[in-house]
């Protein structure tokens, strides 16, 4: 092989920051905070304060490869940790505060974190858990210097720590494969598992995420990530925004419809995203108040299936186009994104929408997809055959943190545990998560398809379908729906609505109006639902 003769510059997260501070120096970053006024600065300011933070980390004794935990909402201080920690060669473990206390302690200990940076909201939680995390040497409160320190345990103050430091830092050059972020999957079965992103994987993911067939960001966009920064680094949005020079708006933990509406209007947000539950709340808010969506034009929604009715309402009623994203913590998380192609656009808007609103997305450069049968044989990309979805590429996991064994097969394929079809145009459609699949009388039923139809029934806020034991059919689907406040929907109405679209034998065996529990990442908690309703059809 003849070696190429180009520079082997490492892809480092500090490089993204340095570039943004030079190329988009005056572009704004705006942040809500837990109990302080809105914060405003620029990419240049972010660079300066991240440098101060990197010096402070050094003075705390944090060195290359050390782990630091953040227990924080979407704020500018959290963003500074996003750059300072990996920029200095350490690893940021973004703890998920919605994990159970046991899981949270497990992840901090498993990460081996030496310092923990936290928002004030977490003082009561940390007061209870601190003794169980003996390796943490430093607790740093992410708050204004004048704000009173918690009396419950000794802490340092973030602003006081960085105030004394220089606003420039000689970002070290090191191997681009050095770990950068440690994100734990929610571990619906067993302990959470740590996915350790590298500088290289984060930067490649961020470059690809901004492409026109992906999120299509430009310097004219104002981005507000409503995916939590602890959920797969807010899907990489902060980095994608920095590369593309987008204004960035961080909503803290205030993701209710009214708070989002206020930021969208005041800051001119053009693009946002997150899990469907957030956008259900937002739609509910604008439809109740009759308010406009202002400058909002585009959304990326994913993490669980986007109901077609949601995409359609945003588009038709509010002129906001929705791109669905499928991904997982293990894929950084971009897997596929539903973007149009000239071929399907030529078929007219209805045909285009039929595809865009019902597929999880289209193949992206940098992440290969395939489906296989139970024996591991490749299945055709014909939009009909469905099988185990496998992925590989430079931002897909190779092995979990502290695991001795690889998470992929000999050819590098990672089994996602999702069941999907892929069509000849590269559109992928998830029919179920393998553990949520419903097998009734030997045949498969797609819970996602039924949920999607039920979610379009007027009055329905969230629809969930799970399979439960049935004495004759081994398993049958039941439908649990949570209604919008003040609405009534009867079983007959739901049945009539589903009968229009759903195959007869897929019709749920029971219709239950109840609250739908959510997981730590805001998805329908099907494990809990199966547990609650496991005997519902036992005597059928
Ligand atoms: P957790 O398991 O902690 O919730 P992840 O966010 O990594 O964490 O979950 C990934 C899973 O979420 C995927 O394997 C898939 O089952 C589901 N998922 C993500 N996006 C979508 C989508 N657009 N449609 C359907 N399912 C999705």
């Amino acid at each position: 092989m003849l070696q190429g003769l180009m520079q082997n510059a490492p892809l480092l997260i500090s490089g993204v920051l340095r570039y943004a501070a030079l190329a988009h120096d005056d572009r704004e970053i705006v942040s809500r905070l837990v109990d302080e006024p809105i914060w405003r600065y620029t990419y240049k300011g972010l660079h300066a304060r991240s440098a101060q933070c990197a010096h402070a980390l050094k003075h705390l004794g944090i060195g290359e490869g050390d782990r630091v935990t953040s227990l924080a909402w979407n704020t500018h201080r959290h963003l500074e940790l996003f750059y300072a920690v990996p920029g200095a060669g350490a690893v940021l473990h973004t703890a998920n505060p919605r994990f159970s206390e046991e899981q949270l302690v497990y992840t901090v200990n498993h990460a081996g974190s030496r310092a923990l940076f936290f928002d004030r909201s977490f003082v009561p939680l940390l007061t209870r858990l601190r003794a169980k995390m003996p390796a943490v040497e430093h607790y740093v409160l992410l708050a204004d210097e004048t704000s009173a320190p918690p009396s419950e345990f000794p802490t340092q103050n973030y602003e006081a720590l960085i105030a004394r430091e220089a606003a420039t830092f000689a970002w070290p050059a090191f191997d681009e494969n050095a770990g950068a972020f440690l994100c734990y999957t929610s571990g619906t079965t067993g302990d959470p598992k740590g996915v350790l992103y590298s500088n290289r994987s984060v930067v490649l993911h961020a470059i690809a995420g901004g492409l026109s067939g992906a999120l299509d960001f430009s310097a004219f966009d104002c981005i507000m990530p409503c995916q939590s920064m602890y959920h797969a680094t807010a899907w990489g949005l902060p980095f994608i925004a920095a590369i593309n020079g987008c204004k960035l708006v961080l909503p803290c933990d205030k993701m209710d419809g009214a708070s989002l509406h206020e930021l969208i209007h005041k800051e001119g947000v053009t693009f946002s995203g997150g899990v469907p539950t957030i956008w259900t709340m937002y739609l509910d808010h604008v439809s109740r108040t009759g308010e406009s969506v202002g400058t909002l034009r585009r959304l990326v929604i994913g993490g669980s299936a986007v109901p077609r009715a949601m995409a359609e309402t945003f588009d038709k009623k509010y002129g906001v186009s929705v791109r669905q994203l499928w991904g997982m913590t293990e894929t950084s998380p971009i897997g596929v994104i539903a973007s149009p192609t000239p071929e399907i656009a030529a078929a007219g808007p209805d045909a285009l929408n039929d595809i865009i609103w019902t597929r999880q997305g289209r193949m992206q450069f940098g992440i290969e997809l395939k489906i296989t049968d139970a024996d591991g044989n490749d299945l055709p990309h014909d939009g009909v055959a469905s099988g185990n979805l496998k992925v590989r590429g430079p931002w897909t996991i190779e092995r979990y943190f502290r695991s001795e064994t690889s998470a992929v097969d000999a050819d590098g394929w990672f089994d996602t545990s999702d069941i999907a079809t892929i069509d000849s145009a590269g559109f992928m459609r998830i029919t179920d998560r393998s553990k949520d699949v419903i097998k009734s009388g030997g045949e498969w039923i797609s819970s996602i398809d039924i949920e999607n139809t039920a979610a379009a029934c007027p009055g329905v806020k969230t629809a969930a379908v799970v399979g439960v034991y049935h004495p004759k059919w081994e398993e049958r689907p039941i439908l649990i729906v949570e209604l919008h406040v003040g609405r009534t929907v009867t079983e007959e109405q739901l049945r009539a609505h589903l009968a229009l679209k759903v195959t007869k034998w897929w019709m749920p065996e029971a219709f239950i109006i109840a609250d739908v529990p959510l997981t730590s990442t805001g998805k329908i908690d099907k494990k809990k639902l199966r547990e609650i309703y496991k005997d519902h059809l036992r005597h059928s």
Side-chain angles (χ1 to χ4, degrees), residues 96 99 184-188 195 197 231-232 235 275-276 301-306 324-333 336 359-361 389 414 416-419 428-436 448 519-523:
N96 182 338
F99 275 4
Y184 283 80
T185 63
S186 66
T188 32
V195 183
Y197 302 162
H231 192 205
W235 305 1
V275 291
I301 309 184
S304 49
V306 178
Q324 178 159 191
L325 175 148
W326 167 90
M328 12 181 14
T329 305
E330 285 89 337
T331 62
S332 298
V336 300
R359 306 289 191 273
Q360 265 59 32
L389 176 67
F414 173 73
T416 64
S417 297
D418 284 325
I419 311 291
M428 187 273 276
R429 193 169 78 88
I430 301 270
T431 52
D432 248 317
R433 226 171 168 169
S434 59
K435 56 177 183 285
D436 295 333
I448 292 183
T519 68
S520 56
T521 46
K523 306 176 190 189

Side-chain angles (χ1 to χ4, degrees), residues 172-396:
F174 44 77
D175 180 356
E176 63 184 11
N177 291 299
F181 287 90
L182 183 55
C183 303
Y184 283 80
T185 63
S186 66
T188 32
T189 48
D191 288 326
K193 289 186 279 189
V195 183
L196 181 53
Y197 302 162
S198 64
N199 276 262
R200 172 185 155 85
S201 72
V202 170
V203 174
L204 286 174
H205 179 268
I207 296 171
L211 296 175
S212 56
L215 301 181
D216 192 13
F217 280 5
S218 85
F220 295 89
D221 277 311
C222 173
I223 310 290
M224 177 169 70
C226 294
Q227 36 285 84
S228 302
M229 286 172 76
Y230 54 77
H231 192 205
T233 70
W235 305 1
L237 255 59
F239 300 117
I240 306 172
I243 288 177
N244 290 285
C246 313
K247 175 176 173 180
L248 189 62
V249 178
L250 299 168
C252 194
D253 61 334
K254 318 266 182 320
M255 309 264 190
D256 60 283
S259 304
L260 295 187
H261 173 80
E262 190 186 335
L263 279 183
I264 290 168
H265 277 252
K266 286 200 173 139
E267 302 302 333
V269 171
T270 59
F271 184 104
S272 189
V275 291
T277 37
I278 294 195
W279 300 103
T280 303
M281 289 193 296
Y282 178 76
L283 272 183
D284 190 31
H285 173 82
V286 284
S287 98
R288 261 188 306 106
T289 57
E291 287 164 344
S292 84
V293 298
T295 44
L296 189 65
R297 290 293 168 270
R298 300 190 297 129
L299 289 172
V300 58
I301 309 184
S304 49
V306 178
R308 183 192 163 118
M310 172 179 282
E312 194 163 355
T313 308
F314 267 118
D315 184 272
K316 295 246 160 28
K317 197 161 168 198
Y318 298 104
V320 174
S321 77
V322 172
R323 281 194 180 179
Q324 178 159 191
L325 175 148
W326 167 90
M328 12 181 14
T329 305
E330 285 89 337
T331 62
S332 298
I334 295 177
V336 300
I337 300 176
S339 52
T341 63
E343 291 76 17
I344 57 169
D350 289 343
L352 173 74
N353 290 339
D354 267 344
I355 293 185
I356 295 289
W357 291 342
T358 57
R359 306 289 191 273
Q360 265 59 32
R362 200 160 173 274
M363 284 179 178
Q364 300 290 311
F365 176 72
I367 177 151
E368 288 179 83
L369 311 180
K370 70 170 181 176
I371 43 175
T372 65
D373 65 16
D375 299 323
N377 303 309
D378 290 358
L379 291 170
H381 293 190
D382 58 7
V384 178
S386 83
N388 301 314
L389 176 67
K390 294 179 179 166
V391 296
R392 68 177 178 190
W395 58 80
T396 298

Side-chain angles (χ1 to χ4, degrees), residues 52-91:
Q52 290 177 289
C53 178
H55 284 295
L57 289 167
K58 258 193 162 172
H59 290 145
L60 291 177
I62 304 295
E64 286 188 1
D66 280 340
R67 271 81 66 202
V68 169
T69 291
S70 58
L71 193 56
W73 306 119
N74 291 16
T75 71
H76 72 289
R77 295 191 182 105
H78 202 177
L79 187 67
E80 288 157 14
L81 291 169
F82 263 44
Y83 286 104
V85 175
V91 172

